[in-house]
Amino acid sequence: MRHRLLLGIALLAPIGPATAQQHPPAPSDADRRAEATVRQMTQAEKIALLHGPVVAMVPLAKRLPGITVGAGYVVGIPRLGIPALVETDASMGVANSEFLRKGDVATAMPSTLGQAASWDPEMSRRGGAMIGAEARDKGFNVMLAGGVNLVRDPRAGRNFEYAGEDPLLAGTIAGAQIAGVQSSGIVSTVKHFAVNDLETGRNVHSVAIDEAAMRESDLLAFQIAIEKGDPGSVMCAYNKVNGVHACENRFLLTDVLRRDWGFRGFVMSDWGAVHSSEAIVAGLDQQSGEQLDGKRWFSDLMPAAIAEGRVPASAIDVAARRIVRTIYTHGLDKRPNEARGTIDYDAHALVSQQAAEASMVLLRNEGDVLPLVATARRIVLIGGHADVGVLAGGGSSQVRPVGGFVLEEKGDGLGFSKRSYVASSPLSALRAALPGADVTYVDGRDPAVAAAAAKAADVAIVFGEKWAGEGADQPNLSLDRNGDALIAAVAAANPRTVAVLEVGNAVAMPWRDQVAAILVAWFPGQRGGAAIARVLTGAVNPSGHLPVTFPAATTQLPHPVLPGANAIPADAASRAVYGLLSDTKPFAYSFPEGSDVGYRWFDRTGAAPLYAFGHGLSYTRFRYSDLRVAGGERLTATFTVTNIGTRAGVDVPQVYVRRSGKAKRLVGWGRPALAPGESRVVTVTADPRLLADFDGARRRWTVPKGRYAIEVATSATAPVLTGSVVMNAVTRRP
């Protein structure tokens, strides 16, 4: 059976908001109301909107009444009907460490990197709507979601919070999540602006990158996320960019964000990222978590800065107006900001489980050992605390899940970055899914005992882990706790070994060719154990594809040695706690890869990765045919995908474009769900920015006239259909 359906995912807007500078938008009702409201404010009331504390660090007697304890709050102005802004950390759900709200629970989504592995923006939108609804019902009206920093180094501690290495994929997934969060009637941020890709010395390091490289990579990811999600706020980052702190970087906050992109919300700082009152002149509107900064630049010290002429009074008006306009735009003034009703955690858990199932990436499946079938009567699970739960990432984004953590251990990084396990047992889920099988568990602490158990089983499923958390980068790509040796020992004892990886980053796999199957489960969230079991047993056909490149070795990376490793105290190196040490020396580093992040770097250098960006297997097979391409002003690729296997499945065909002398670029993808024998037509229309160079001197995107090579592929290194097209020269504003 054959159907024609247009499925492609790509940006269809012109190259950037070309008219933002030439033709400013007409004032909206929110603009007019905000202007009128700010005119009625005293200077003290305006300044009150520009700063907020970490709630948990405020003595109970001094807290604003009725405020839900979260990341922070900003007082409102009751006489003018301006509500307080009550903020929660986010991305994987409503963050709720014991430091913040003892005993609170929320639905834990899979890691954002896992959600990006689904390549499914609609799934991200649904997840965003769910976590936004929980935030609203817990009494919050601002959610610090929308992490879109590109994954430039697989050792970076917060990669699990972000959406991969490609600007189109990352921006699309993050933008969908932001739109979902805000559909629940609250404000979302996009963060951390910009080029904030390492935890090592994050408060003291500076990244050096030229404008063209930044525009074509990290900034493009933010631009796409903002276009897709329309966030109410942008959160600026800790690091310096070209020697200037991100939160007082006029180029980023004023020239790019407001002048070129036409952003009309407000900019808040990350918690502890402000260094002067004058940052408001550069484009920062709000100091967040002010106790974590050296001084209260936007509160106690602001009146003196105004009086001394270091900050013009008009800058206070502008910042207050942006904040109030955002409140009006998103209707925060029309809804009571208080905890309300009961939350349907069962329904929300299903959203999380479906996202986890869509995120899992089958990297290898020799001999079709998966899915598990009835002939596998004796199955042993080994390691990873798979008897009780699944691993979660750590830091300010961590969600204490419904049912709590079944196990918590100290982790490197921030004090609240604990190595925690969600109470969703793969062992229990597999036993329920395979009632006729003998499914047992061995903890894996002794590789010899594990090998003996594996040898006696029909199939051995060994869990490899690599924990990640805010405040710490990782010294290598090896699995934690001698996990590589454990998998090798199990595989040597049983050729039908399946490795399940609960990881927040790409990892090395020295044992890859010894195991029959590899499933990347990421940090799978609230019902991660059930999701793993459903994929292993075939109740769900895996459809995830890698959102990052898995390198064969760190020597293939632009920085074989992690930047800043020599700047940390010698006694800290062995602990891999690089991020927040107060005695870390300032350092600077640059990007040899420029805009060629991830798979583009591998394409440029010719290095063969362990597993390529975009790779992912299915329990069925797909055939591609009938490629047709069109050029001129707009590049379009149309092709047919057919399911030639015996199972229904979802495919993710990817379209890459290469220009002479340049690394290939992803320009779009499809995600057809196909029954056996079914065909569908996929059309991808490329956003010209993905083909263009950015000319910093002229502030223009330029698509050169010429012939462009087209690849329809199953990954960045596996083209299936090829073609070429001639493009006209196109030039646009940013």
Side-chain angles (χ1 to χ4, degrees):
M1 127 182 230
R2 181 182 177 92
H3 297 289
R4 181 176 181 86
L5 182 65
L6 303 185
L7 291 169
I9 297 176
L11 293 170
L12 303 181
I15 306 181
T19 61
Q21 185 182 21
Q22 297 171 313
H23 305 288
S28 66
D29 180 61
D31 289 311
R32 290 187 287 270
R33 290 180 63 202
E35 181 70 35
T37 298
V38 171
R39 281 200 301 267
Q40 299 177 61
M41 291 183 186
T42 65
Q43 184 182 87
E45 287 173 331
K46 295 171 190 174
I47 291 175
L49 292 176
L50 310 186
H51 65 97
V54 178
V55 188
M57 297 174 68
V58 177
L60 283 171
K62 296 184 178 181
R63 291 182 190 174
L64 198 65
I67 292 295
T68 303
V69 177
Y73 70 86
V74 176
V75 298
I77 305 173
R79 76 176 185 89
L80 297 175
I82 303 300
L85 300 179
V86 189
E87 303 155 328
T88 176
D89 260 306
S91 288
M92 280 74 76
V94 182
N96 52 2
S97 71
E98 291 288 89
F99 168 73
L100 295 177
R101 296 192 303 287
K102 191 174 180 63
D104 185 42
V105 297
T107 305
M109 285 289 288
S111 63
T112 306
L113 191 62
Q115 294 179 54
S118 74
W119 295 56
D120 186 352
E122 177 55 26
M123 185 72 74
S124 292
R125 190 206 64 78
R126 287 181 59 211
M130 182 272 285
I131 65 174
E134 285 196 7
R136 179 198 63 212
D137 290 345
K138 288 177 180 290
F140 297 105
N141 57 10
V142 178
M143 198 166 205
L144 312 180
V148 74
N149 297 97
L150 292 186
V151 174
R152 283 183 174 265
D153 194 302
R155 296 162 294 191
R158 297 187 82 173
N159 286 345
F160 73 97
E161 297 185 43
Y162 303 138
E165 68 190 28
D166 179 77
L168 175 61
L169 177 63
T172 300
I173 293 297
Q177 184 196 54
I178 291 165
V181 168
Q182 295 191 155
S183 73
S184 293
I186 66 174
V187 166
S188 176
T189 67
V190 63
K191 63 184 184 183
H192 305 87
F193 195 63
V195 205
N196 178 221
D197 69 319
L198 285 181
E199 291 297 277
T200 301
R202 70 184 189 185
N203 292 297
V204 298
H205 78 239
S206 179
V207 295
I209 181 170
D210 67 69
E211 180 177 359
M214 188 162 33
R215 293 269 196 173
E216 294 169 15
S217 57
D218 300 75
L219 292 187
L220 184 56
F222 273 95
Q223 189 175 8
I224 292 169
I226 290 170
E227 291 168 355
K228 294 284 189 180
D230 191 23
S233 181
V234 169
M235 182 192 293
C236 54
Y238 289 112
N239 55 291
K240 294 180 181 179
V241 179
N242 294 323
V244 181
H245 284 290
C247 284
E248 53 188 50
N249 193 306
R250 181 184 292 274
F251 169 74
L252 291 176
L253 303 183
T254 297
D255 295 350
V256 173
L257 185 63
R258 299 192 184 282
R259 180 196 66 192
D260 294 343
W261 296 352
F263 178 71
R264 307 188 71 199
F266 68 96
V267 176
M268 67 168 70
S269 74
D270 206 338
W271 272 234
V274 183
H275 300 272
S276 71
S277 298
E278 289 84 347
I280 197 170
V281 181
L284 178 65
D285 300 310
Q286 200 172 76
Q287 179 182 14
S288 308
E290 59 189 353
Q291 307 102 311
L292 302 182
D293 287 309
K295 297 179 181 179
R296 302 193 182 204
W297 301 106
F298 276 40
S299 53
D300 298 349
L301 300 182
M302 188 60 78
I306 297 170
E308 294 165 9
R310 292 182 286 112
V311 172
S314 60
I316 310 303
D317 293 344
V318 169
R321 188 162 55 246
R322 289 169 178 163
I323 295 165
V324 174
R325 179 192 180 279
T326 300
I327 289 171
Y328 289 155
T329 298
H330 293 274
L332 304 190
D333 59 314
K334 297 178 181 177
R335 290 182 293 274
N337 196 47
E338 59 189 21
R340 54 187 178 182
T342 58
I343 295 171
D344 189 345
Y345 284 123
D346 287 339
H348 290 184
L350 183 59
V351 174
S352 176
Q353 179 179 327
Q354 290 171 343
E357 292 167 357
S359 77
M360 293 186 187
V361 183
L362 183 64
L363 295 181
R364 180 178 173 89
N365 193 21
E366 297 299 301
D368 292 331
V369 69
L370 294 178
L372 298 173
V373 294
T375 54
R377 308 301 299 169
R378 294 171 299 171
I379 301 170
V380 60
L381 276 59
I382 300 169
H385 297 294
D387 58 329
V388 294
V390 292
L391 189 61
S396 60
S397 67
Q398 189 179 72
V399 178
R400 186 166 291 273
V402 178
F405 289 125
V406 70
L407 179 65
E408 289 188 273
E409 304 166 344
K410 181 67 176 73
D412 290 335
L414 292 176
F416 53 85
S417 276
K418 293 182 179 178
R419 185 186 184 103
S420 306
Y421 291 81
V422 180
S424 180
S425 163
L427 176 66
S428 297
L430 270 174
R431 283 174 171 168
L434 300 170
D438 179 17
V439 184
T440 58
Y441 174 76
V442 174
D443 63 28
R445 293 176 185 173
D446 185 331
V449 172
K455 189 173 184 178
D458 297 323
V459 174
I461 302 173
V462 59
F463 287 75
E465 302 174 288
K466 192 167 184 65
W467 181 81
E470 181 180 358
D473 294 321
Q474 299 169 336
N476 54 54
L477 301 179
S478 300
L479 293 177
D480 294 342
R481 300 176 173 179
N482 212 26
D484 292 317
L486 174 63
I487 294 176
V490 171
N494 189 333
R496 291 172 61 80
T497 291
V498 177
V500 176
L501 303 179
E502 295 177 20
V503 296
N505 282 328
V507 294
M509 302 179 199
W511 37 262
R512 178 185 67 171
D513 295 336
Q514 299 170 253
V515 300
I518 304 169
L519 180 70
V520 181
W522 313 105
F523 299 148
Q526 186 70 52
R527 288 186 179 170
I532 290 170
R534 282 171 57 79
V535 172
L536 290 177
T537 59
V540 169
N541 192 346
S543 61
H545 288 249
L546 291 181
V548 290
T549 302
F550 277 47
T554 56
T555 54
Q556 295 180 323
L557 300 175
H559 289 286
V561 177
L562 191 75
N566 296 327
I568 62 174
D571 65 345
S574 63
R575 293 185 282 119
V577 185
Y578 303 151
L580 305 175
L581 294 173
S582 60
D583 50 353
T584 299
K585 300 174 184 177
F587 65 94
Y589 68 101
S590 60
F591 298 110
E593 71 274 26
S595 65
D596 290 333
V597 181
Y599 68 90
R600 297 184 189 179
W601 171 255
F602 279 77
D603 187 51
R604 188 168 114 188
T605 61
L610 181 70
Y611 284 107
F613 172 87
H615 176 71
L617 303 178
S618 170
Y619 295 150
T620 191
R621 294 183 299 142
F622 301 97
R623 183 182 65 218
Y624 300 169
S625 61
D626 304 327
L627 174 63
R628 300 182 300 281
V629 295
E633 297 292 318
R634 179 80 66 172
L635 187 152
T636 301
T638 301
F639 53 95
T640 300
V641 182
T642 304
N643 182 346
I644 59 173
T646 59
R647 289 173 174 263
V650 175
D651 191 28
V652 182
Q654 303 143 45
V655 179
Y656 297 87
V657 172
R658 184 194 303 278
R659 210 175 76 217
S660 178
K662 304 286 285 189
K664 68 173 62 176
R665 300 181 182 182
L666 177 74
V667 298
W669 68 91
R671 202 174 180 280
L674 300 171
E678 185 177 11
S679 295
R680 292 193 184 177
V681 173
V682 175
T683 295
V684 167
T685 301
D687 183 325
R689 286 173 297 193
L690 302 170
L691 312 177
D693 297 325
F694 189 84
D695 183 339
R698 298 174 61 220
R699 281 186 45 245
R700 297 288 190 275
W701 288 100
T702 301
V703 178
K705 179 179 175 61
R707 184 165 293 277
Y708 291 66
I710 315 297
E711 295 178 356
V712 178
T714 58
S715 78
T717 62
V720 178
L721 303 175
T722 59
S724 66
V725 69
V726 173
M727 297 298 298
N728 296 337
V730 179
T731 302
R732 293 287 190 275
R733 293 184 180 276

